[in-house]
Amino acid sequence: MLVSELSPSEYNPFYHNYVLSVGENTLLVELEEGRDRLISFLENLSEDKLGYAYADGKWTLAELLVHIIDAERVFQYRALRFARNDKTALAGFDQDVYVPQSNAGARSRQNIIDEYRAVRESTLSLFRSFDDEALKRVGIASGSEMSTRAMGFIICGHQAHHFKIIHERYLDQA
């Protein structure tokens, strides 16, 4: 399944730029390559950069990385519910409530790497288990219809979006 096969009707317009940021690989390849890119980046990141925020009131790099993990968990859960044909509408989540509770500032680089790797491997395992029918199933999240496969590409695009921000606002300034 390629991102170009998605219809904009399969996801909330809020996620359109995330979907556009995904390359033209299959979903599983995008998930694997995104994993490899982020882990490689983190393994080469100096521990002292984790506490850096590019402006007052902005998240630290550690908080941003934990946000990527938290959001992937939420999106993964939505994908599971949709794939299993659960028609219960799912509420949104408030990232600005999650981040201060994440304890990101007390976490080591290795701890963040380990959690990210575990979550992404779980995402890969989940999406590998879906057949074409499950990938096309639709559920409701945050008041919008979304497909299982769109959730997979949103996971990829969300990470790509923040990876770009990391390079533009955190690394060039720190």
Side-chain angles (χ1 to χ4, degrees):
M1 138 113 272
L2 301 171
V3 72
S4 59
E5 297 173 37
L6 278 182
S7 164
S9 67
E10 292 183 58
Y11 54 89
N12 183 306
F14 174 82
Y15 299 109
H16 187 68
N17 286 334
Y18 291 169
V19 171
L20 288 179
S21 71
V22 176
E24 266 304 305
N25 292 314
T26 66
L27 175 57
L28 292 175
V29 168
E30 286 292 333
L31 287 166
E32 291 165 350
E33 289 183 356
R35 173 201 59 205
D36 297 344
R37 271 190 303 275
L38 191 59
I39 289 173
S40 176
F41 164 76
L42 291 172
E43 288 174 339
N44 291 295
L45 182 69
S46 166
E47 190 90 27
D48 64 321
K49 298 240 190 250
L50 290 175
Y52 175 75
Y54 64 88
D56 286 342
K58 295 298 182 182
W59 296 340
T60 65
L61 183 53
E63 289 172 328
L64 179 59
L65 293 166
V66 173
H67 163 71
I68 291 170
I69 296 167
D70 285 351
E72 183 158 338
R73 278 194 167 107
V74 170
F75 297 150
Q76 182 191 98
Y77 177 68
R78 290 174 179 179
L80 172 67
R81 297 274 302 262
F82 300 163
R84 300 296 192 257
N85 213 25
D86 185 336
K87 297 301 183 190
T88 308
L90 302 174
F93 74 105
D94 186 343
Q95 64 188 19
D96 294 318
V97 172
Y98 276 50
V99 169
Q101 307 308 315
S102 71
N103 202 27
R107 299 177 62 182
S108 70
R109 179 178 56 91
Q110 191 58 52
N111 176 267
I112 292 170
I113 291 169
D114 292 347
E115 184 179 1
Y116 172 78
R117 182 180 281 123
V119 170
R120 180 51 61 96
E121 290 305 322
S122 176
T123 299
L124 280 160
S125 180
L126 181 66
F127 277 90
R128 286 181 184 127
S129 76
F130 296 151
D131 61 17
D132 287 341
E133 186 177 320
L135 285 167
K136 291 177 184 174
R137 287 193 188 112
V138 172
I140 298 172
S142 303
S144 296
E145 286 193 345
M146 312 262 285
S147 71
T148 305
R149 63 189 189 175
M151 293 311 311
F153 285 113
I154 289 167
I155 289 169
C156 297
H158 179 258
Q159 178 177 302
H161 164 77
H162 285 297
F163 200 57
K164 182 178 178 192
I165 289 172
I166 288 168
H167 284 283
E168 291 173 353
R169 299 183 188 166
Y170 288 84
L171 298 184
D172 290 346
Q173 309 301 319

